[in-house]
Amino acid sequence: MNPVATWRRLLAELLGTALLVTAVVGSGIMAATLSPDDVGLQLLQNSIATAFALGALILTFGPVSGAHFNPVVSAADWFLGRRTGTGLSLRDLAGYTVAQTIGAIAGSVLANLMFDLAAVDISAKTRTGTHLWLGEVVATTGLLLLIFALARSGRAAVAPAAVGAYIGAAYWFTSSTSFANPAVSIGRAFTDTFAGISPGSLPGFIAAQLIGLALGVGLLLALYPDVAAAAEKVVIPAERAARRQRAASRR
């Protein structure tokens, strides 16, 4: 289990999620300001900033908490490792989820303030429809497959680049622009800007993300029957996981 104190891990998840949402919302505001008449360019600017920020944040906070920044990732880690005791405990899952959600809201507030907007400005941007929900299912399922496949195969070191690249790409190949994260979805409801989502649209998005969670876990179990062993590598500090891998290879 992760030797880092629980409060440090929760603080890392709160700060990491806050800065992720700040990057998403802040780059969206900047994009809309710099390219007011070109939505495609706005999305490009927003996606590039988010991809790079996510990779940097995983590098920064991964050694402390695993850098989940996402209740879906934390829930998958708990479920896959629950029988072997290799993932988050149920208590940790609850703590991570609360920290991530508070962090996401704080991230929107921070971005609003940085751009001289009202600290809390509830979004009026409606995002609803079966096609958008399907996009969220695809984005969430793919994210889980990537994270746990990397951990299982001993390639967790490339996760910052790989996860950042996936999210950046999913902005473009999914109809929903890949929220893939219940906490981030909630946080983005607190800004009426380019990246916002109305509170009324949240239930559909979160339900789709939970379906993606179930599909992702099911596919992981089908493709990798031993995936439970990887749950620990998504929680423990990266350097500790690397040491264990090196020690195992010498046996």
Side-chain angles (χ1 to χ4, degrees):
M1 190 54 209
N2 193 323
V4 179
T6 299
W7 73 266
R8 288 192 174 92
R9 289 188 281 132
L10 296 181
L11 179 60
E13 287 296 301
L14 188 152
L15 290 175
T17 310
L19 291 173
L20 173 59
V21 174
T22 299
V24 173
V25 174
S27 63
I29 297 171
M30 182 66 80
T33 301
L34 296 177
S35 309
D37 301 318
D38 192 334
V39 177
L41 185 55
Q42 291 172 13
L43 186 62
L44 179 63
Q45 294 161 339
N46 191 209
S47 63
I48 291 174
T50 300
F52 279 106
L54 179 56
L57 290 169
I58 293 173
L59 285 171
T60 302
F61 296 105
V64 181
S65 67
H68 294 188
F69 311 149
N70 188 337
V72 163
V73 175
S74 300
D77 189 77
W78 164 75
F79 184 85
L80 292 171
R82 72 195 190 287
R83 292 181 180 175
T84 55
T86 52
L88 290 176
S89 68
L90 191 58
R91 181 176 180 178
D92 285 339
L93 171 59
Y96 268 48
T97 300
V98 171
Q100 290 155 358
T101 303
I102 293 173
I105 295 170
S108 274
V109 171
L110 178 58
N112 287 338
L113 291 174
M114 283 199 302
F115 286 90
D116 198 25
L117 302 173
V120 174
D121 192 8
I122 301 301
S123 178
K125 182 172 290 187
T126 299
R127 300 178 189 259
T128 186
T130 304
H131 63 296
L132 298 181
W133 301 331
L134 178 59
E136 280 301 287
V137 171
V138 171
T140 307
T141 301
L143 178 63
L144 292 178
L145 288 174
L146 173 63
I147 291 172
F148 285 89
L150 289 174
R152 177 192 171 276
S153 61
R155 295 176 293 168
V158 303
V163 174
Y166 174 82
I167 292 298
Y171 259 79
W172 290 90
F173 73 72
T174 64
S175 56
S176 63
T177 66
S178 183
F179 285 49
N181 185 328
V184 167
S185 300
I186 292 171
R188 288 169 66 165
F190 286 77
T191 180
D192 193 20
T193 59
F194 180 80
I197 178 173
S198 68
S201 298
L202 286 176
F205 265 60
I206 293 174
Q209 291 155 2
L210 294 178
I211 293 171
L213 166 63
L215 285 175
V217 168
L219 287 171
L220 283 166
L221 290 172
L223 293 169
Y224 308 113
D226 60 344
V227 71
E232 184 177 40
K233 299 175 184 177
V234 183
V235 180
I236 66 174
E239 63 271 16
R240 186 177 175 216
R243 287 198 300 270
R244 288 190 177 186
Q245 186 179 350
R246 288 194 295 268
S249 67
R250 290 195 294 266
R251 292 173 187 167

